[in-house]
Amino acid sequence: MDDSNERVEHFAAVQARTSVDHALRAVQQNFTYLSAAADHKASIVIGSTLVLLGLLAGTLHSGPAPVAVYVLGGFTLLSCLFALLGVLPRVTRWRRGPR
């Protein structure tokens, strides 16, 4: 690189436009909206599955239950776990250097 104090303007001939700024802002706003909607939906699934699991636990305490209650409870628990995985944020560690 040249150590002189002269600045080289590589994009001096390029006319400034705001269309890319508007497009990026729209994409960011849509992504934020969709992320909030997914979090809301996951919260509804978590709440409803926990209520259903509570009702199923009450059914199991009252006596022997049919196999369908166990199947329903298992899939309800599985859907609750997947909803929790969808809500939890991803946390990654920063790596130094090349991979």
Side-chain angles (χ1 to χ4, degrees):
M1 239 196 214
D2 193 355
D3 289 336
S4 67
N5 291 335
E6 296 178 23
R7 280 183 68 180
V8 178
E9 296 290 335
H10 296 286
F11 300 104
V14 177
Q15 183 180 10
R17 292 180 292 209
T18 60
S19 59
V20 174
D21 295 335
H22 290 294
L24 289 175
R25 185 182 310 125
V27 167
Q28 189 266 340
Q29 287 174 345
N30 286 336
F31 180 75
T32 303
Y33 171 74
L34 290 174
S35 178
D39 286 345
H40 184 67
K41 183 178 178 181
S43 296
I44 291 172
V45 168
I46 290 169
S48 62
T49 55
L50 290 178
V51 167
L52 188 58
L53 282 173
L55 293 173
L56 289 175
T59 303
L60 293 176
H61 283 297
S62 65
V67 176
V69 173
Y70 291 110
V71 171
L72 180 63
F75 281 110
T76 302
L77 184 63
L78 189 66
S79 68
C80 185
L81 290 176
F82 282 135
L84 281 172
L85 287 175
V87 172
L88 292 176
R90 284 197 181 112
V91 179
T92 58
R93 296 183 65 170
W94 289 90
R95 294 184 183 185
R96 291 186 179 187
R99 293 184 182 190

